[in-house]
Amino acid sequence: MKLDLLIKNANEIITVKGASHIPKTGKAFQEISIVKGNIGIKYGRILNVDNYNYKAKQVIDATGKVVMPGFIDCHTHLVHAGSRHYEYEGKCSGKSYSDIDKKGGILYTVEQTRKASIEDLVEKGLKDLDIMLSHGTTTVEIKTGYGLDQENEIKMLYAINELQKKHPMTIIPTYLGAHKVPPEYENNRQGYIKLVKDLILTIKKENLAEYCDVFCDKIGFTYKESKEILEEAKRHGMKLKVHAEQTNYNRGAELAAKLGAVSADHLDYISKKGIEDMKASGTIGVLLPGVTYHLTEMIPGHKKVKKFLPKKIRRMIENELPIALSTDYNPGSCRTQSMQAIMEIAARLYRMNYAEIINASTINAAHAIGRSNEIGSIEFGKKADLVIYDCEEHGILIDKFGINLAKIVIKNGKIINLY
Ligand code: NIG
Ligand code: FE
């Protein structure tokens, strides 16, 4: 038998195996399996992980290198127009996210995104996806939420679906019509909620999105409004996600659990009950440390300094809540497309250990988008989405920071030409 591709002599193959059916928690979350040797690839799939030198059409020598599953970035707002870099100085000098939001924030991006054509969004999106791929991400979830009317939410979904046709990255589209009430509905919230709900039907009919997400927050939607929208999405067979407890405690985690959402994301102000409910319902907690870092939320002097976060995250882990990590890449609250950066920040700010961080960025993130049978680990039959890093041991990836160690990215068994 001749393989299509053989990666040989890797110093460490981080397989993350054994958790395709249930996300890793407890003892399993503290372990990653490490193998020294070869990976055989055929028909875009992983055939074997061993030490045998099968014949292959193409061979990569990975001596002294680390091989990991491609990252799964399970929460992003990658499609958007414009930049808010001018705001950033204000954030750094201590203004809170809610303050900034009143003066532009998400709504500024909505203005810019409404003005952009599908082609503009696709052109920018392709560039962002290239950066992600070259930093080791091979699957990404992308949300709408900067259109906030029928025409522009659908435009965003068309752009997301177009990106999937044009780029090797695997993309999971999410409808986030309930990101913010747009200015034209400021005095008619119920009118906007009706619009968000009506659009679900069109989206389902045209199969434009797999998930429905809601920003359940004092600067987004109330518990009751979020529930109404998510229940409608569920009725139409969409899978659910919730932006929960980001800037305040709003029972978003409890709501996600109650409705059987696949994930609840952010969770800075999650309650004890929120943790218990999510655990019981199997809802995954997606943590976004890039937001904490970018918004300077742990630095004394910040209006609402979140010094409690490491303890809270430890409580979630100790209570065996399944945890995933993601960038939340967007124009406001997190500006990196690199999951390597997120791993580095998770260690420094959230005090997570290497095994926890890697499990949360690969297999548990695959669970957070319902793809754990296909990706997220290096095991027989899974897609050959693999990244070879230019370092001898996986810990170096997290210990170093601010650089890109991804050397070779393999997507569906094919070597990607990095830009
Ligand atoms: O996940 N929280 C709401 N939405 C995004 C931020 C979007 C933006 O600032 O443009 C988030 O942090
Ligand atoms: Fe987000």
Side-chain angles (χ1 to χ4, degrees), residues 75 77 243 266 328:
H75 175 144
H77 308 251
H243 276 71
H266 285 282
D328 196 11

Side-chain angles (χ1 to χ4, degrees), residues 303-416:
K303 218 170 174 183
K304 260 183 157 183
V305 57
K306 293 177 178 174
K307 265 203 310 214
F308 56 83
L309 271 180
K311 242 196 201 154
K312 188 152 268 190
I313 282 143
R314 195 48 47 197
R315 198 172 310 139
M316 292 186 224
I317 293 171
E318 279 168 4
N319 279 279
E320 304 203 348
L321 182 69
I323 297 295
L325 286 164
S326 171
T327 60
D328 196 11
Y329 173 60
N330 73 71
S333 68
C334 183
R335 300 294 293 134
T336 188
Q337 293 105 313
S338 164
M339 282 297 293
Q340 290 178 64
I342 295 309
M343 295 206 302
E344 293 152 15
I345 300 168
R348 286 157 182 80
L349 294 188
Y350 287 4
R351 302 286 175 200
M352 290 171 71
N353 68 41
Y354 295 168
E356 290 168 348
I357 289 170
I358 290 172
N359 284 320
S361 307
T362 55
I363 191 67
N364 280 10
H367 280 283
I369 48 156
R371 294 291 190 284
S372 58
N373 56 341
E374 279 283 281
I375 49 174
S377 60
I378 304 180
E379 289 180 271
F380 172 77
K382 282 209 173 177
K383 270 194 189 186
D385 287 1
L386 303 164
V387 183
I388 302 174
Y389 293 95
D390 201 1
C391 56
E392 291 209 334
E393 290 170 296
H394 65 277
I396 296 171
L397 262 177
I398 300 171
D399 176 32
K400 285 194 159 184
F401 70 94
I403 48 165
N404 182 12
L405 285 169
K407 179 115 182 131
I408 299 177
V409 176
I410 295 156
K411 176 68 193 167
N412 291 326
K414 298 217 161 51
I415 300 171
I416 297 288

Side-chain angles (χ1 to χ4, degrees), residues 107-254:
L107 290 180
Y108 175 79
T109 303
V110 171
E111 239 177 76
Q112 300 299 308
T113 306
R114 284 180 175 178
K115 278 190 221 153
S117 65
I118 295 189
E119 292 73 26
D120 295 337
L121 295 177
V122 170
E123 194 188 322
K124 183 177 179 339
L126 288 172
K127 282 189 194 154
D128 278 337
L129 288 174
D130 279 350
I131 295 174
M132 277 194 167
L133 197 61
S134 67
H135 284 74
T137 298
T138 46
T139 300
V140 63
E141 182 259 16
I142 306 179
K143 303 174 197 298
T144 67
Y146 295 120
L148 308 187
D149 61 23
Q150 170 153 348
E151 181 193 337
N152 289 293
E153 281 295 301
I154 296 289
K155 179 177 80 183
M156 286 192 75
L157 285 169
Y158 281 159
I160 295 170
N161 283 275
E162 197 56 27
L163 287 172
Q164 181 62 102
K165 287 186 204 139
K166 292 202 154 100
H167 201 276
M169 186 80 76
T170 303
I171 298 174
I172 283 79
T174 295
Y175 169 53
L176 178 61
H179 195 190
K180 187 100 193 140
V181 174
E184 63 274 21
Y185 280 93
E186 209 175 359
N187 298 316
N188 180 14
R189 290 182 72 87
Q190 205 46 46
Y192 185 63
I193 288 160
K194 181 170 178 323
L195 188 152
V196 171
K197 283 166 54 183
D198 287 349
L199 256 185
I200 289 172
L201 214 84
T202 318
I203 289 166
K204 259 320 265 188
K205 230 192 272 158
E206 290 195 42
N207 200 18
L208 290 173
E210 185 173 331
Y211 285 86
C212 178
D213 194 346
V214 169
F215 185 22
C216 180
D217 199 284
K218 69 173 185 302
I219 59 168
F221 293 79
T222 65
Y223 176 95
K224 200 164 153 273
E225 291 165 346
S226 303
K227 182 163 176 281
E228 188 179 333
I229 294 159
L230 291 168
E231 277 175 345
E232 180 74 1
K234 191 174 173 173
R235 234 192 320 279
H236 290 287
M238 293 188 83
K239 293 193 267 180
L240 310 180
K241 288 183 169 284
V242 184
H243 276 71
E245 341 289 20
Q246 180 183 4
T247 76
N248 71 316
Y249 171 57
N250 215 15
R251 290 184 297 142
E254 284 90 329

